[in-house]
Short mmCIF file of all heavy atoms in Angstrom, two decimals:
data_model
loop_
_atom_site.label_atom_id
_atom_site.label_comp_id
_atom_site.label_asym_id
_atom_site.label_seq_id
_atom_site.Cartn_x
_atom_site.Cartn_y
_atom_site.Cartn_z
N ALA N 422 38.01 23.91 -255.17
CA ALA N 422 39.37 23.47 -255.53
C ALA N 422 40.19 23.35 -254.25
O ALA N 422 40.24 22.27 -253.65
CB ALA N 422 40.01 24.45 -256.51
N SER N 423 40.82 24.42 -253.83
CA SER N 423 41.53 24.38 -252.55
C SER N 423 41.91 25.79 -252.16
O SER N 423 41.84 26.73 -252.96
CB SER N 423 42.79 23.52 -252.64
OG SER N 423 43.75 24.16 -253.44
N GLY N 424 42.35 25.92 -250.93
CA GLY N 424 42.72 27.22 -250.41
C GLY N 424 41.86 27.58 -249.23
O GLY N 424 40.72 27.10 -249.10
N GLY N 425 42.42 28.39 -248.34
CA GLY N 425 41.66 28.84 -247.18
C GLY N 425 42.04 30.28 -246.88
O GLY N 425 42.92 30.85 -247.53
N TYR N 426 41.38 30.84 -245.90
CA TYR N 426 41.65 32.25 -245.59
C TYR N 426 41.26 32.56 -244.15
O TYR N 426 40.47 31.83 -243.53
CB TYR N 426 40.85 33.18 -246.52
CG TYR N 426 39.36 32.91 -246.46
CD1 TYR N 426 38.56 33.48 -245.48
CD2 TYR N 426 38.77 32.01 -247.35
CE1 TYR N 426 37.22 33.18 -245.39
CE2 TYR N 426 37.43 31.70 -247.27
CZ TYR N 426 36.66 32.29 -246.30
OH TYR N 426 35.33 31.97 -246.19
N ILE N 427 41.83 33.66 -243.67
CA ILE N 427 41.32 34.27 -242.45
C ILE N 427 40.97 35.71 -242.79
O ILE N 427 41.80 36.45 -243.35
CB ILE N 427 42.33 34.16 -241.30
CG1 ILE N 427 42.28 32.71 -240.81
CG2 ILE N 427 42.00 35.16 -240.18
CD1 ILE N 427 43.10 32.38 -239.62
N SER N 428 39.73 36.08 -242.50
CA SER N 428 39.27 37.46 -242.65
C SER N 428 39.01 37.98 -241.25
O SER N 428 38.28 37.33 -240.49
CB SER N 428 37.98 37.54 -243.47
OG SER N 428 38.24 37.29 -244.82
N ALA N 429 39.60 39.13 -240.93
CA ALA N 429 39.56 39.55 -239.53
C ALA N 429 39.85 41.04 -239.42
O ALA N 429 39.93 41.75 -240.43
CB ALA N 429 40.58 38.75 -238.72
N ARG N 430 40.02 41.47 -238.19
CA ARG N 430 40.47 42.84 -237.94
C ARG N 430 41.83 43.05 -238.59
O ARG N 430 42.63 42.11 -238.67
CB ARG N 430 40.59 43.08 -236.43
CG ARG N 430 39.37 42.65 -235.63
CD ARG N 430 38.27 43.67 -235.65
NE ARG N 430 37.13 43.21 -234.86
CZ ARG N 430 35.93 43.78 -234.92
NH1 ARG N 430 35.70 44.80 -235.71
NH2 ARG N 430 34.94 43.33 -234.19
N GLN N 431 42.11 44.27 -239.02
CA GLN N 431 43.33 44.58 -239.78
C GLN N 431 44.60 44.11 -239.08
O GLN N 431 45.45 43.45 -239.68
CB GLN N 431 43.40 46.11 -240.00
CG GLN N 431 44.59 46.54 -240.84
CD GLN N 431 44.44 46.11 -242.30
OE1 GLN N 431 43.43 46.38 -242.93
NE2 GLN N 431 45.44 45.43 -242.83
N GLU N 432 44.73 44.42 -237.80
CA GLU N 432 45.98 44.13 -237.10
C GLU N 432 46.18 42.62 -236.94
O GLU N 432 47.32 42.15 -236.91
CB GLU N 432 46.02 44.82 -235.73
CG GLU N 432 45.96 46.34 -235.78
CD GLU N 432 44.59 46.90 -236.14
OE1 GLU N 432 43.57 46.17 -236.01
OE2 GLU N 432 44.51 48.07 -236.59
N ILE N 433 45.07 41.90 -236.82
CA ILE N 433 45.18 40.43 -236.69
C ILE N 433 45.74 39.87 -237.99
O ILE N 433 46.67 39.05 -237.98
CB ILE N 433 43.80 39.82 -236.34
CG1 ILE N 433 43.40 40.25 -234.91
CG2 ILE N 433 43.83 38.29 -236.47
CD1 ILE N 433 42.01 39.80 -234.48
N VAL N 434 45.22 40.33 -239.12
CA VAL N 434 45.73 39.86 -240.41
C VAL N 434 47.19 40.30 -240.60
O VAL N 434 48.03 39.52 -241.07
CB VAL N 434 44.83 40.36 -241.55
CG1 VAL N 434 45.48 40.14 -242.91
CG2 VAL N 434 43.48 39.65 -241.49
N ASP N 435 47.50 41.53 -240.21
CA ASP N 435 48.88 42.03 -240.36
C ASP N 435 49.86 41.14 -239.60
O ASP N 435 50.94 40.82 -240.11
CB ASP N 435 48.99 43.47 -239.83
CG ASP N 435 48.28 44.47 -240.75
OD1 ASP N 435 47.93 44.09 -241.89
OD2 ASP N 435 48.07 45.62 -240.31
N ILE N 436 49.49 40.75 -238.40
CA ILE N 436 50.44 39.96 -237.60
C ILE N 436 50.53 38.53 -238.12
O ILE N 436 51.60 37.91 -238.10
CB ILE N 436 50.11 40.04 -236.09
CG1 ILE N 436 51.33 39.67 -235.27
CG2 ILE N 436 48.96 39.19 -235.68
CD1 ILE N 436 51.51 40.56 -234.08
N LEU N 437 49.41 38.00 -238.66
CA LEU N 437 49.45 36.67 -239.27
C LEU N 437 50.40 36.67 -240.47
O LEU N 437 51.16 35.72 -240.69
CB LEU N 437 48.06 36.22 -239.70
CG LEU N 437 47.09 35.85 -238.56
CD1 LEU N 437 45.69 35.60 -239.12
CD2 LEU N 437 47.57 34.62 -237.80
N ARG N 438 50.39 37.74 -241.26
CA ARG N 438 51.28 37.82 -242.42
C ARG N 438 52.76 37.80 -242.00
O ARG N 438 53.62 37.34 -242.73
CB ARG N 438 50.99 39.11 -243.21
CG ARG N 438 50.55 38.84 -244.63
CD ARG N 438 50.33 40.12 -245.41
NE ARG N 438 48.91 40.39 -245.62
CZ ARG N 438 48.15 39.71 -246.47
NH1 ARG N 438 48.64 38.74 -247.20
NH2 ARG N 438 46.87 40.00 -246.60
N GLN N 439 53.03 38.31 -240.80
CA GLN N 439 54.40 38.29 -240.31
C GLN N 439 54.77 36.95 -239.66
O GLN N 439 55.92 36.55 -239.71
CB GLN N 439 54.61 39.40 -239.25
CG GLN N 439 54.39 40.81 -239.78
CD GLN N 439 55.24 41.11 -241.00
OE1 GLN N 439 56.44 40.82 -241.02
NE2 GLN N 439 54.63 41.67 -242.04
N LYS N 440 53.79 36.29 -239.04
CA LYS N 440 54.17 35.21 -238.14
C LYS N 440 53.52 33.85 -238.38
O LYS N 440 53.98 32.86 -237.79
CB LYS N 440 53.84 35.63 -236.69
CG LYS N 440 54.75 36.73 -236.18
CD LYS N 440 54.54 36.89 -234.69
CE LYS N 440 55.72 37.58 -234.03
NZ LYS N 440 55.47 37.77 -232.59
N ALA N 441 52.46 33.77 -239.18
CA ALA N 441 51.76 32.47 -239.28
C ALA N 441 52.59 31.49 -240.10
O ALA N 441 52.89 31.73 -241.27
CB ALA N 441 50.37 32.65 -239.88
N ARG N 442 52.96 30.38 -239.49
CA ARG N 442 53.92 29.48 -240.12
C ARG N 442 53.40 28.80 -241.39
O ARG N 442 54.14 28.71 -242.36
CB ARG N 442 54.42 28.47 -239.08
CG ARG N 442 55.23 29.16 -237.98
CD ARG N 442 55.50 28.28 -236.78
NE ARG N 442 56.41 27.21 -237.07
CZ ARG N 442 57.74 27.31 -237.05
NH1 ARG N 442 58.31 28.48 -236.77
NH2 ARG N 442 58.49 26.28 -237.31
N PRO N 443 52.14 28.36 -241.45
CA PRO N 443 51.68 27.75 -242.71
C PRO N 443 51.61 28.78 -243.85
O PRO N 443 51.67 28.41 -245.01
CB PRO N 443 50.28 27.23 -242.38
CG PRO N 443 50.22 27.18 -240.89
CD PRO N 443 51.11 28.29 -240.40
N TYR N 444 51.51 30.06 -243.51
CA TYR N 444 51.54 31.12 -244.53
C TYR N 444 52.96 31.40 -244.97
O TYR N 444 53.25 31.52 -246.17
CB TYR N 444 50.91 32.39 -243.95
CG TYR N 444 50.90 33.57 -244.92
CD1 TYR N 444 49.93 33.67 -245.90
CD2 TYR N 444 51.87 34.58 -244.83
CE1 TYR N 444 49.91 34.74 -246.78
CE2 TYR N 444 51.86 35.64 -245.72
CZ TYR N 444 50.88 35.73 -246.69
OH TYR N 444 50.87 36.78 -247.57
N LEU N 445 53.86 31.49 -244.01
CA LEU N 445 55.25 31.85 -244.32
C LEU N 445 56.01 30.74 -245.00
O LEU N 445 56.89 30.98 -245.81
CB LEU N 445 55.99 32.23 -243.02
CG LEU N 445 55.54 33.51 -242.35
CD1 LEU N 445 56.27 33.67 -241.02
CD2 LEU N 445 55.80 34.71 -243.24
N PHE N 446 55.70 29.50 -244.65
CA PHE N 446 56.56 28.38 -245.07
C PHE N 446 55.87 27.37 -245.96
O PHE N 446 56.29 26.23 -246.04
CB PHE N 446 57.15 27.69 -243.83
CG PHE N 446 57.93 28.64 -242.95
CD1 PHE N 446 57.51 28.93 -241.66
CD2 PHE N 446 59.08 29.26 -243.44
CE1 PHE N 446 58.23 29.82 -240.86
CE2 PHE N 446 59.79 30.15 -242.64
CZ PHE N 446 59.37 30.43 -241.35
N SER N 447 54.80 27.76 -246.64
CA SER N 447 54.14 26.85 -247.57
C SER N 447 53.81 27.63 -248.84
O SER N 447 53.58 28.85 -248.79
CB SER N 447 52.89 26.26 -246.92
OG SER N 447 52.36 25.22 -247.72
N ASN N 448 53.79 26.95 -249.95
CA ASN N 448 53.69 27.62 -251.25
C ASN N 448 52.40 28.44 -251.41
O ASN N 448 51.38 28.14 -250.80
CB ASN N 448 53.76 26.54 -252.35
CG ASN N 448 54.23 27.10 -253.68
OD1 ASN N 448 54.78 28.20 -253.74
ND2 ASN N 448 54.01 26.36 -254.73
N SER N 449 52.48 29.45 -252.26
CA SER N 449 51.31 30.28 -252.60
C SER N 449 50.21 29.42 -253.21
O SER N 449 50.48 28.43 -253.88
CB SER N 449 51.70 31.31 -253.67
OG SER N 449 52.61 32.21 -253.17
N VAL N 450 48.96 29.83 -252.99
CA VAL N 450 47.84 29.21 -253.69
C VAL N 450 48.08 29.40 -255.20
O VAL N 450 48.41 30.51 -255.63
CB VAL N 450 46.50 29.86 -253.28
CG1 VAL N 450 45.34 29.20 -254.00
CG2 VAL N 450 46.30 29.77 -251.77
N PRO N 451 47.94 28.35 -256.03
CA PRO N 451 48.24 28.48 -257.46
C PRO N 451 47.37 29.55 -258.13
O PRO N 451 46.19 29.68 -257.80
CB PRO N 451 47.91 27.09 -258.03
CG PRO N 451 47.67 26.20 -256.89
CD PRO N 451 47.50 27.02 -255.65
N PRO N 452 47.96 30.30 -259.06
CA PRO N 452 47.24 31.39 -259.72
C PRO N 452 45.90 30.95 -260.32
O PRO N 452 44.90 31.67 -260.22
CB PRO N 452 48.18 31.84 -260.84
CG PRO N 452 49.53 31.31 -260.48
CD PRO N 452 49.35 30.19 -259.52
N SER N 453 45.87 29.76 -260.92
CA SER N 453 44.62 29.32 -261.56
C SER N 453 43.53 29.14 -260.51
O SER N 453 42.36 29.47 -260.75
CB SER N 453 44.84 28.02 -262.33
OG SER N 453 45.40 27.04 -261.48
N VAL N 454 43.89 28.62 -259.35
CA VAL N 454 42.90 28.41 -258.28
C VAL N 454 42.43 29.77 -257.74
O VAL N 454 41.26 29.96 -257.42
CB VAL N 454 43.49 27.53 -257.16
CG1 VAL N 454 42.57 27.48 -255.96
CG2 VAL N 454 43.75 26.12 -257.69
N VAL N 455 43.35 30.72 -257.66
CA VAL N 455 42.96 32.06 -257.21
C VAL N 455 41.98 32.68 -258.21
O VAL N 455 40.94 33.23 -257.82
CB VAL N 455 44.21 32.96 -257.05
CG1 VAL N 455 43.81 34.38 -256.68
CG2 VAL N 455 45.13 32.38 -255.97
N SER N 456 42.26 32.52 -259.50
CA SER N 456 41.35 33.06 -260.52
C SER N 456 40.00 32.37 -260.48
O SER N 456 38.95 33.02 -260.61
CB SER N 456 41.93 32.87 -261.92
OG SER N 456 43.09 33.64 -262.06
N GLY N 457 40.00 31.06 -260.31
CA GLY N 457 38.74 30.33 -260.20
C GLY N 457 37.94 30.79 -258.98
O GLY N 457 36.72 30.95 -259.05
#
Side-chain angles (χ1 to χ4, degrees):
S423 70
Y426 56 84
I427 285 185
S428 287
R430 311 279 180 194
Q431 183 70 52
E432 298 73 19
I433 292 176
V434 168
D435 289 347
I436 201 138
L437 288 173
R438 241 182 253 287
Q439 299 305 314
K440 290 191 159 178
R442 294 167 69 84
Y444 179 81
L445 292 175
F446 303 116
S447 189
N448 203 16
S449 294
V450 181
S453 55
V454 171
V455 176
S456 294

